[in-house]
Amino acid sequence: MTELTELTAAELAEGYRTGAFSPVEATRAALERAERIQPEVNAFVTITADDALARARAAEERRRRGEPAGPLDGVPVTVKDLLLLRGTPTLRGSRTVSGRGPWDEDAPSVARLREQGAVFLGKTTTPEHGWKAVTDSPLSGVTRNPHDPARTAGGSSGGAAAAVALGAGPLALGTDAGGSVRIPASFCGIFALKPTYGRVPLYPASAFGTLAHVGPMTRDAADAALLMDVIGVPDARDWSALGPAPGSFTAALRDGVRGLRVAYSPTLGGQVAVQPDVAKAVRRGVERLAELGAYVTETDPDLSEPVEAFHTLWFSGAARVAQRLGRDQRQLLDPGLREICARGARYSALEYLAAVDVRTDLGRRMGVFHETYDLLVTPTLPITAFEAGVEVPRGSGHRRWTGWTPFTYPFNMTQQPAATVPVGTDPAGLPVGLQLIAARHRDDLVLRASHALYEAGATLAT
């Protein structure tokens, strides 16, 4: 029999329904796995074992009565330590955040899961305030890759990715303001979706503003769709949240990719140097989409390098994080975060608005692009996981994490849905991700195409 920790959320829910196993059994298995992996990969800030078991017992009783609270009743889930979880401190990877609380409120996505009876295993690690694309912080140390602990799990949702990859819960809530669910998912060999901005409400608002999205990190696309059906609903606390989704994301999975128009951009028009093993694995994934009936064209979107505009938006957000800190508290920050906070504080309002203009035009160009193409496919990242504990690969020449993430952050600027699907490994056994992007509000297309790759056996098994 497959271990409970290897099952998807959908498989757990079906097992609960048939009585093959119980929420308490699944939760105990997930907690044991979390405790076992913690010393090596450091995926968790807090493991909330007592609360998890209490919620699992309550779910078991509801299912015994034939009254489950929802499809995820009793399913284990983790929460990134940037999202509020009632009763548990949200420390944001920072020594400047007090743990005193009272911690009496849930983030919208957490609240929807609580209503459904989901079981919260704990809070997962993040770099300080989610500021970079690897996961280490002065508060919780370095989070490591489940395939090679000497390497990074990526970030900023690195703990969430490592937990899912190693069986410590099939579902995780992450956040993504520049690639932060897709980057670690790609490095760790799991699925992640950055939904259209506003599809999953966010409260409190991120300091990084409308770059920031909440998204599911899961074992496959079907679980992500299931999770989106729960968390992708409005919440009055987020004034920028979208209205109700037009239909079930799970129901849309069955439509496949036949007839979809797919643009394949392997290097963004020669702008990105991609590791040969990454390029080969992604091309195989694209070929599989064509075999499944998609019309594939190798072409590039009009994406002039927007990194300076992104830096203006990003560093300004970081400066906002540190604005209320005194001099002594600032000294407690990650040195890299402290550096970009200082840079962000020097931008003028006109410079910020100029960056908004770049962002707006980028969104216009991608909107026009998607009048011709339903989906854009790129590598998620040009490289596989590198050494843990550093922001950029040694010898790369990059100064900041944006240097090695050119495929991810542009689509935070445009607010489009984007997912990463594991499509292979390099010779060292490190996962490779393929990224699927659609026009705003077409999360269903991204999930459909991702699910088709899973169904066709074109993905890396976790």
Side-chain angles (χ1 to χ4, degrees):
M1 176 180 171
T2 304
E3 288 190 41
L4 292 177
T5 53
E6 305 307 314
L7 299 179
T8 66
E11 289 168 337
L12 286 177
E14 177 62 15
Y16 299 161
R17 186 189 68 80
T18 64
F21 43 79
S22 72
V24 171
E25 290 173 307
T27 298
R28 287 191 189 279
L31 288 169
E32 288 171 5
R33 182 64 61 88
E35 294 284 0
R36 191 185 317 159
I37 69 174
Q38 181 62 9
E40 185 169 40
V41 301
N42 187 33
F44 288 87
V45 179
T46 306
I47 299 173
T48 53
D50 290 344
D51 179 71
L53 287 169
R55 291 188 61 79
R57 293 186 191 103
E60 191 166 309
E61 176 59 22
R62 285 191 294 272
R63 288 190 177 270
R64 187 191 65 77
R65 298 195 309 264
E67 300 172 354
L72 296 181
D73 199 1
V75 175
V77 61
T78 63
V79 179
K80 183 179 180 179
D81 198 34
L82 295 183
L83 296 170
L84 295 177
L85 174 64
R86 195 173 74 213
T88 303
T90 298
L91 301 178
R92 302 177 181 272
S94 182
R95 293 182 292 174
T96 69
V97 177
S98 170
R100 289 193 298 271
W103 310 116
D104 55 2
E105 195 169 17
D106 285 326
S109 51
V110 175
R112 302 294 82 75
L113 284 166
R114 190 181 296 278
E115 291 162 2
Q116 290 270 328
V119 172
F120 301 112
L121 298 178
K123 303 297 291 290
T124 54
T125 52
T126 176
E128 195 163 16
H129 295 284
W131 81 271
K132 59 184 175 181
V134 294
T135 300
D136 58 70
S137 74
L139 180 71
S140 54
V142 177
T143 297
R144 299 178 180 276
N145 193 290
H147 297 267
D148 179 354
R151 299 176 187 262
T152 180
S156 63
S157 306
V164 171
L166 290 171
L171 304 177
L173 292 177
T175 64
D176 187 318
S180 288
V181 299
R182 291 161 288 155
I183 293 162
S186 181
F187 276 177
C188 294
I190 66 166
F191 180 81
L193 170 70
K194 177 188 76 67
T196 299
Y197 177 79
R199 173 50 58 210
V200 179
L202 177 59
Y203 170 85
S206 169
F208 299 108
T210 58
L211 294 171
H213 306 56
V214 177
M217 305 176 73
T218 58
R219 300 186 69 81
D220 62 19
D223 267 9
L226 183 63
L227 185 49
M228 283 294 295
D229 282 337
V230 173
I231 65 175
V233 296
D235 187 289
R237 294 172 292 174
D238 183 353
W239 66 271
S240 64
L242 298 175
S248 164
F249 293 109
T250 299
L253 296 179
R254 68 174 72 99
D255 294 334
V257 298
R258 184 166 298 280
L260 293 183
R261 303 161 299 168
V262 175
Y264 169 42
S265 179
T267 62
L268 295 182
Q271 295 184 72
V272 184
V274 178
Q275 184 178 311
D277 297 304
V278 171
K280 184 177 179 181
V282 172
R283 185 172 290 274
R284 283 198 304 266
V286 172
E287 290 169 352
R288 183 56 63 90
L289 289 173
E291 292 166 3
L292 293 170
Y295 299 113
V296 176
T297 304
E298 189 165 325
T299 188
D300 303 300
D302 182 14
L303 278 182
S304 55
E305 178 58 63
V307 69
E308 290 307 320
F310 180 81
H311 282 168
T312 300
L313 301 170
W314 189 257
F315 297 166
S316 297
R320 179 67 173 162
V321 166
Q323 187 176 24
R324 296 180 178 85
L325 299 180
R327 182 176 179 180
D328 289 345
Q329 282 189 305
R330 285 174 182 255
Q331 292 305 119
L332 298 176
L333 295 174
D334 180 325
L337 175 57
R338 192 164 62 242
E339 181 180 324
I340 70 165
C341 286
R343 182 171 168 184
R346 293 194 293 269
Y347 289 124
S348 70
L350 288 177
E351 287 173 314
Y352 187 91
L353 290 173
V356 172
D357 287 343
V358 171
R359 179 183 189 182
T360 300
D361 190 59
L362 189 65
R364 176 193 63 80
R365 282 179 274 148
M366 288 307 303
V368 171
F369 182 83
H370 283 291
E371 289 185 327
T372 302
Y373 299 102
D374 299 302
L375 292 166
L376 169 65
V377 175
T378 73
T380 307
L381 297 165
I383 58 176
T384 51
F386 54 88
E387 175 188 356
V390 295
E391 183 184 345
V392 300
R394 294 189 191 276
S396 67
H398 299 311
R399 173 67 178 142
R400 296 263 79 105
W401 60 269
T402 44
W404 55 270
T405 61
F407 293 112
T408 59
Y409 67 81
F411 303 107
N412 292 81
M413 297 178 77
T414 62
Q415 303 187 341
Q416 294 171 249
T420 182
V421 178
V423 289
T425 58
D426 71 5
L430 298 169
V432 171
L434 174 152
Q435 182 175 224
L436 291 147
I437 305 114
R440 291 175 73 244
H441 312 295
R442 293 313 309 267
D443 306 70
D444 60 315
L445 291 181
V446 172
L447 287 165
R448 275 170 54 187
S450 301
H451 182 63
L453 288 172
Y454 276 96
E455 290 286 282
T459 58
L460 171 70
T462 56

